[in-house]
Amino acid sequence: MQGICLKILEYPIMFYKTLSIWLLCSLYSIAFAQNTSQIKGVVVSENTLTPIAGANIIGKNLLSISSTNGEFVIDHVHTDSCSFEVCCLGYACKTVVVHADDDKNAVKIYLKQASTDLKEVNISAKSKQRKALETPMVSQTVSKDFLDKNRENSLMQTLSKIPGVSTINIGSGQSKPVIRGLGFNRVAVVQNGIKHEAQQWGNDHGLEIDQQGIENIQIIKGPASLLYGSDAIAGVVDIQPNKIPLQHSFKGEVNVLGESNNDLLGISTGIESRKEKWFYRGRFTYRDYADYKVPTNKINYENYIFELHDNNLRNTAGKEIDGSVSVGYVAKNIKSETVFSNVNAKNGFFANAHGLEVRTSKIDYDSSNRDIDLPFHNVNHFKITNNTSLDFGNHTLFFDVGFQNNHREEHTEPTAHGYMPKPSGSKERVFKKNTYSLNVKDSFTLNKKHDVVLGVNMEYQDNNIGGWGFLIPEYDRFTAGVFAYDQFEINSDLHFLAGMRYDFGKVDTKAYYDWYPSTVRNEDNSTSDVYLQRAQNKSLNFGNLSASVGLSYIQNQTSYKLNVGRSFRMPLASELASDGVNYHMYRYERGNLDLDPEVSYQLDVEVDHTTKLFSVGVSPFVNLFDNYIYLNPTPTYFETLQIYEYTQSKVFRIGGEARASVNLYKNLQLTTSVEYVYSRQTSGPKKDFTLPFSPPLSVLFSANYQFKDFLFFKKPQFMADYRITASQEEIVPPEEITDGFQVLNMSFISKMDVFKNENPMDVRVKLNNVFNTKYFNHTSFYRLIDVPEAGRNISLSLTIPF
């Protein structure tokens, strides 16, 4: 153990203006230095006579530490004798006096071994795992180890291995979260306590979050409006703050990634450091990828055959530059961290997905697999968050403050449509959204049995638009909610949770008129050229109540959870007031100002049994929607495009997940999981149909085998995942049936100690879609236009810590 580090006092020499005084001081200092001496010594164990390293030698204005061979040196001893104390952990301290006339050989100091009896210490704190078991809400914690082992091209693709979690994929680098068949604004994504707010209502709008550097995620399955408000009606992906660094620490890592399918090259580097109370973090990520390959050479969309060059899904290349920096402070009763982050991405859209104009386009989409031609989008998401907690003993106050700016531009080749002339530029749509967030929470304990939380959430959004193509209007949105819940400990193994919440929301939409005139027929059969109004000034208010009641019971190695919840979701501006052509989907979309907030009732049950050798678990649910909002195709058309209108219906859903794992032998672990959701509309124009993007029955088999160390590979592991997905015949017209598929993925991970140091490298080799299987994911955006999932892909990742 290293000794106590003392700061050597420095006595500065005072310089006087006159040269004579300066010379006298210099002569005195020289004479004083000539009277100093040096003491050498060695510290050894009295019992074993072996050298003791790290012993502290401390005296008045003296400090030294013994080396690995027990030796030490004390310079500049100014007196005829000196006294110092020698101490080391596991030995009794010893006082030594050395005189100037003693033998000049090294002083040998013998220390006796000693043991210290410590008083009994009672620890009453609960682990995160225990707290999760005591909470009735069905949730799953995702560790950094899981993220490192299963990392894919986007955060949600990485999490899709978790039962009940799937994605809406948009190409190779973007995806949206889906929990138990519900996605878009029904799943709240929270980072550092603040809901991520972008243009997540769009089918082709990904999640602007850098997955590198994330250490801990909590996924809540089922309604979570009680804690997170609107948009958490189906669940939450809560990206929690990283652990605070240790005192006097500095560390970092560099991650290098390469992939074969889309020729991806990526690098990410992060550092963190802490002094006494202040700490700092930083990360930079860069990714550059080409068009990705699919296991087919042609695509049939709207009865038109598109030939693919070298299996490349043309114009799906992209670039991404992410950066973040944070500064934090931690003391006895306060913790605070402020994070600045920015995500900038430019991604091409599959050239045939953005309508059918590619048939007449002059762009050579196959000139290079790395260029990004029209159509493409460019998005920049800037975020500032602050998390502060104040501990007042029985009360702990939590403050989360956030600002987000989302700037999204969608570019396409300008063409004339209907009465709209050919635009002068390629900016079809521009969205500029500012979001201001504030969360305040007070957590306190009553009678050591009640853990009570009172809280307030507020959020204000300002969304502006631009470009020559209109889809949704400008709007302002304000939401505020107040909540309270109590977790009551009936006994150490039985816990009861109950809570209520009330939310108020207001949406103000702004009027919009076409920038070009359209010819309309008047009542007298005459015609006029007018600038059509697409949106109007409208102010809508919403209010609703959420509630949750649950029980958790822990019996030895088995835990039981039961939770009943009522949640809600405010209608979005796109659902209320959209009125335009969505060329990404090749349809006309129209909102409905008479929509009511969605209200959901859900019953969740979870049973889990875990031992050292095996574990099993099941988590079924039953869900009812009073007024589910969805986009319904109609028999009417606008300029040859089918009109889709937002409407509402009652919906019944049932499903769940089951899992089992077993440890065979010593190094082999087998895991299997099953997930299934059944949905049925019980009213409305699509009565007796399911919901769009409903995931089919899916089973995942996983095997993990850890080999013995060999050469410079430490803890090498081989993993294989085999997913069997049934066909999805439950569809909503104009959806089409999706065939079932089977896909095998394999990977090898290991520590690599090439340089024999304390920080070995992490190496990961993954082979996805081993047999280059052609299959369609029912929850994929591109599945709607007959585009299969990506083909075989080999990825190599190296993480170098320092």
Side-chain angles (χ1 to χ4, degrees):
M1 180 177 179
Q2 296 296 321
I4 302 172
C5 180
L6 297 179
K7 187 176 182 181
I8 301 176
L9 300 176
E10 297 178 353
Y11 297 93
I13 300 175
M14 304 295 294
F15 289 93
Y16 299 90
K17 294 182 180 180
T18 61
L19 181 60
S20 58
I21 297 176
W22 181 85
L23 289 172
L24 288 173
C25 290
S26 299
L27 291 172
Y28 174 78
S29 64
I30 294 172
F32 184 77
Q34 290 175 343
N35 291 331
T36 62
S37 61
Q38 183 185 73
I39 298 175
K40 297 182 179 180
V42 60
V43 184
V44 297
S45 170
E46 185 178 282
N47 301 76
T48 63
L49 300 180
T50 56
I52 299 176
N56 299 303
I57 297 91
I58 304 173
K60 186 176 182 180
N61 297 330
L62 301 175
L63 173 65
S64 186
I65 300 174
S66 63
S67 63
T68 55
N69 56 8
E71 297 177 351
F72 68 90
V73 176
I74 302 176
D75 292 316
H76 308 305
V77 179
H78 305 302
T79 59
D80 292 337
S81 65
C82 68
S83 173
F84 52 85
E85 189 176 44
V86 183
C87 295
C88 188
L89 185 65
Y91 296 87
C93 292
K94 187 174 184 177
T95 301
V96 178
V97 179
V98 178
H99 299 280
D101 56 354
D102 286 345
D103 188 356
K104 296 303 181 183
N105 293 329
V107 180
K108 186 166 278 190
I109 302 169
Y110 298 91
L111 297 184
K112 291 182 180 181
Q113 290 185 353
S115 59
T116 303
D117 293 330
L118 299 177
K119 294 182 179 180
E120 181 181 356
V121 178
N122 294 321
I123 301 176
S124 58
K126 297 178 181 178
S127 65
K128 286 187 177 181
Q129 183 179 8
R130 176 71 185 190
K131 289 181 179 180
L133 291 176
E134 293 177 354
T135 303
M137 195 170 294
V138 177
S139 64
Q140 182 167 345
T141 299
V142 182
S143 65
K144 185 177 185 299
D145 181 65
F146 177 93
L147 294 171
D148 289 340
K149 289 180 179 179
N150 299 278
R151 197 173 302 281
E152 298 290 346
N153 275 324
S154 66
L155 175 62
M156 289 315 305
Q157 289 172 345
T158 300
L159 298 177
S160 62
K161 189 177 177 180
I162 297 173
V165 178
S166 55
T167 65
I168 296 177
N169 296 327
I170 311 105
S172 60
Q174 307 170 75
S175 60
K176 303 169 72 70
V178 175
I179 296 180
R180 290 173 167 175
L182 299 178
F184 299 94
N185 277 66
R186 295 181 180 89
V187 175
V189 178
V190 179
Q191 187 174 30
N192 299 331
I194 299 296
K195 281 199 297 184
H196 183 80
E197 288 291 348
Q199 305 293 340
Q200 59 263 40
W201 52 269
N203 294 57
D204 50 353
H205 301 170
L207 195 62
E208 303 92 348
I209 291 179
D210 181 11
Q211 65 172 324
Q212 298 289 341
I214 296 176
E215 295 180 357
N216 189 29
I217 300 176
Q218 184 185 27
I219 296 178
I220 299 176
K221 303 174 185 178
S225 295
L226 174 65
L227 302 180
Y228 299 91
S230 181
D231 299 351
I233 196 169
V236 177
V237 178
D238 190 351
I239 305 169
Q240 300 180 348
N242 292 346
K243 294 180 181 179
I244 296 176
L246 298 175
Q247 285 185 338
H248 307 293
S249 65
F250 175 85
K251 67 177 183 179
E253 67 175 25
V254 176
N255 179 268
V256 182
L257 174 65
E259 296 188 354
S260 64
N261 182 279
N262 60 352
D263 298 330
L264 180 143
L265 295 173
I267 184 171
S268 181
T269 179
I271 59 171
E272 65 177 30
S273 176
R274 178 179 169 186
K275 301 296 185 181
E276 289 284 344
K277 297 180 179 180
W278 291 93
F279 61 92
Y280 315 88
R281 307 187 218 255
R283 179 165 289 276
F284 172 81
T285 301
Y286 177 77
R287 290 158 48 91
D288 188 313
Y289 52 91
D291 300 342
Y292 74 93
K293 296 179 176 63
V294 292
T296 185
N297 56 12
K298 62 181 63 177
I299 289 173
N300 184 349
Y301 176 41
E302 295 289 337
N303 296 319
Y304 185 83
I305 304 298
F306 296 100
E307 301 288 341
L308 300 183
H309 176 70
D310 195 25
N311 299 102
N312 285 320
L313 200 64
R314 52 192 179 186
N315 203 48
T316 55
K319 295 181 180 180
E320 183 178 330
I321 302 176
D322 309 328
S324 66
V325 62
S326 72
V327 58
Y329 178 83
V330 56
K332 182 179 180 181
N333 299 319
I334 181 173
K335 295 179 183 179
S336 181
E337 183 175 14
T338 302
V339 182
F340 301 83
S341 66
N342 194 82
V343 173
N344 184 278
K346 182 179 181 180
N347 309 96
F349 289 122
F350 172 45
N352 308 116
H354 203 81
L356 296 176
E357 71 276 6
V358 69
R359 289 187 293 185
T360 58
S361 173
K362 297 180 180 179
I363 298 175
D364 183 4
Y365 286 98
D366 294 328
S367 61
S368 170
N369 68 339
R370 298 202 80 90
D371 60 357
I372 304 174
D373 287 316
L374 298 170
F376 69 86
H377 72 181
N378 200 335
V379 60
N380 190 88
H381 194 94
F382 175 72
K383 184 187 298 186
I384 305 174
T385 61
N386 174 267
N387 307 111
T388 300
S389 64
L390 302 173
D391 189 356
F392 297 102
N394 193 40
H395 286 260
T396 303
L397 295 178
F398 299 90
F399 299 89
D400 300 322
V401 182
F403 167 75
Q404 301 174 70
N405 173 264
N406 184 270
H407 186 126
R408 179 184 183 86
E409 295 182 358
E410 298 178 358
H411 293 252
T412 191
E413 191 172 9
T415 55
H417 292 282
Y419 292 105
M420 183 185 75
K422 182 178 180 180
S424 59
S426 65
K427 286 185 182 180
E428 179 189 5
R429 289 196 289 258
V430 179
F431 304 101
K432 299 178 182 179
K433 182 178 180 180
N434 295 315
T435 304
Y436 307 84
S437 306
L438 173 64
N439 304 325
V440 181
K441 187 170 63 175
D442 180 17
S443 176
F444 56 95
T445 302
L446 295 177
N447 303 325
K448 296 183 180 181
K449 291 287 187 179
H450 296 267
D451 290 329
V452 182
V453 176
L454 306 176
V456 176
N457 306 127
M458 290 186 290
E459 184 180 88
Y460 173 75
Q461 299 177 12
D462 172 24
N463 196 76
N464 299 302
I465 63 172
W468 47 261
F470 175 79
L471 185 57
I472 69 170
E474 294 185 345
Y475 68 88
D476 297 331
R477 168 172 151 153
F478 173 77
T479 58
V482 56
F483 66 91
Y485 67 87
D486 177 16
Q487 184 163 319
F488 173 57
E489 183 179 294
I490 301 173
N491 59 52
S492 60
D493 294 326
L494 182 61
H495 293 78
F496 172 78
L497 185 145
M500 294 188 66
R501 176 189 181 101
Y502 181 78
D503 282 89
F504 169 79
K506 183 178 181 180
V507 178
D508 293 324
T509 61
K510 310 293 179 63
Y512 179 87
Y513 293 84
D514 282 342
W515 58 272
Y516 56 89
S518 297
T519 302
V520 298
R521 184 174 295 276
N522 302 317
E523 293 182 357
D524 59 359
N525 287 329
S526 62
T527 60
S528 301
D529 291 336
V530 299
Y531 294 90
L532 295 178
Q533 183 175 5
R534 300 289 186 183
Q536 56 182 298
N537 291 318
K538 190 75 174 180
S539 182
L540 298 172
N541 297 328
F542 303 94
N544 222 297
L545 186 69
S546 302
S548 180
V549 178
L551 276 172
S552 71
Y553 178 62
I554 304 172
Q555 184 182 33
N556 298 324
Q557 296 169 317
T558 307
S559 63
Y560 306 86
K561 292 185 178 184
L562 175 68
N563 192 75
V564 179
R566 182 187 193 272
S567 293
F568 90 106
R569 182 182 72 86
M570 283 178 51
L572 305 176
S574 59
E575 297 167 333
L576 293 167
S578 61
D579 190 13
V581 178
N582 187 347
Y583 292 105
H584 298 235
M585 302 299 297
Y586 210 64
R587 66 193 183 198
Y588 193 98
E589 298 179 4
R590 183 172 290 163
N592 183 354
L593 291 172
D594 296 325
L595 294 176
D596 294 320
E598 287 183 343
V599 176
S600 168
Y601 302 89
Q602 184 155 324
L603 169 66
D604 283 285
V605 178
E606 183 179 67
V607 181
D608 184 275
H609 179 77
T610 301
T611 68
K612 292 182 178 180
L613 295 179
F614 72 95
S615 67
V616 293
V618 59
S619 51
F621 73 92
V622 178
N623 176 221
L624 296 173
F625 274 91
D626 269 351
N627 37 24
Y628 184 89
I629 301 173
Y630 69 100
L631 196 58
N632 180 54
T634 70
T636 57
Y637 286 78
F638 176 86
E639 297 177 359
T640 72
L641 295 175
Q642 188 176 10
I643 296 178
Y644 284 61
E645 292 182 344
Y646 282 99
T647 186
Q648 294 184 287
S649 67
K650 296 181 182 296
V651 172
F652 170 76
R653 302 170 65 247
I654 189 171
E657 305 84 42
R659 63 164 188 84
S661 65
V662 60
N663 296 320
L664 296 179
Y665 307 108
K666 184 179 180 180
N667 300 322
L668 178 62
Q669 183 183 53
L670 301 178
T671 303
T672 184
S673 61
V674 182
E675 53 188 292
Y676 177 69
V677 176
Y678 171 85
S679 303
R680 186 68 68 208
Q681 298 185 46
T682 58
S683 69
K686 288 296 186 292
K687 183 180 179 181
D688 297 327
F689 283 99
T690 185
L691 297 178
F693 291 102
S694 292
L697 172 68
S698 182
V699 182
L700 178 65
F701 297 97
S702 300
N704 185 314
Y705 185 83
Q706 181 168 316
F707 297 90
K708 294 180 180 179
D709 295 352
F710 65 96
L711 299 177
F712 42 74
F713 292 101
K714 307 298 180 183
K715 298 181 180 179
Q717 298 179 56
F718 173 79
M719 296 184 296
D721 297 331
Y722 185 60
R723 183 176 291 276
I724 303 176
T725 301
S727 61
Q728 181 55 288
E729 299 180 357
E730 293 284 339
I731 59 171
V732 183
E735 281 188 333
E736 295 183 359
I737 293 174
T738 303
D739 294 332
F741 60 87
Q742 302 176 28
V743 176
L744 175 65
N745 301 323
M746 297 189 301
S747 59
F748 172 83
I749 63 174
S750 176
K751 300 279 186 184
M752 197 162 60
D753 194 6
V754 178
F755 304 106
K756 306 293 182 181
N757 56 27
E758 296 180 356
N759 295 314
M761 295 185 294
D762 290 319
V763 57
R764 292 177 290 273
V765 181
K766 300 190 69 175
L767 177 59
N768 286 351
N769 196 355
V770 175
F771 301 110
N772 202 33
T773 304
K774 180 183 177 181
Y775 68 98
F776 295 88
N777 185 349
H778 194 75
T779 61
S780 171
F781 168 69
Y782 282 154
R783 180 263 308 177
L784 301 175
I785 54 175
D786 195 41
V787 175
E789 295 301 297
R792 184 185 296 111
N793 180 45
I794 301 174
S795 64
L796 173 63
S797 172
L798 285 176
T799 299
I800 307 169
F802 58 88

